[in-house]
Amino acid sequence: MPSLIQAQTQHDLEWFFDDWVYRDRGLPDFKVSSAFARKMLPAGYMLTVTVENLGAAGAEVPSL
């Protein structure tokens, strides 16, 4: 099953199956360690956030 999913998604998901399926390392514990907002010209803001995982399970945080 893992190889079929990895072939379809084109991503290495070994970390996912190891942490979430085979070893059950619990849940990730996310913490926002820093955040910085900057005004952009001509309008809007850019926000930079650093997220830490204090838990034992691996997880990806998508960037937008």
Side-chain angles (χ1 to χ4, degrees), residues 20 24-29 53-57:
W20 290 80
D24 189 17
R25 297 183 190 232
L27 297 172
D29 182 13
N53 181 0
L54 304 176

Side-chain angles (χ1 to χ4, degrees), residues 16-52:
F16 171 81
F17 286 99
D18 190 41
D19 285 1
W20 290 80
V21 178
Y22 302 127
R23 298 182 200 241
D24 189 17
R25 297 183 190 232
L27 297 172
D29 182 13
F30 294 127
K31 173 188 171 190
V32 175
S33 61
S34 67
F36 177 74
R38 185 175 85 173
K39 186 169 174 116
M40 302 294 290
L41 295 177
Y45 288 87
M46 178 180 5
L47 179 64
T48 303
V49 178
T50 302
V51 177
E52 291 182 64

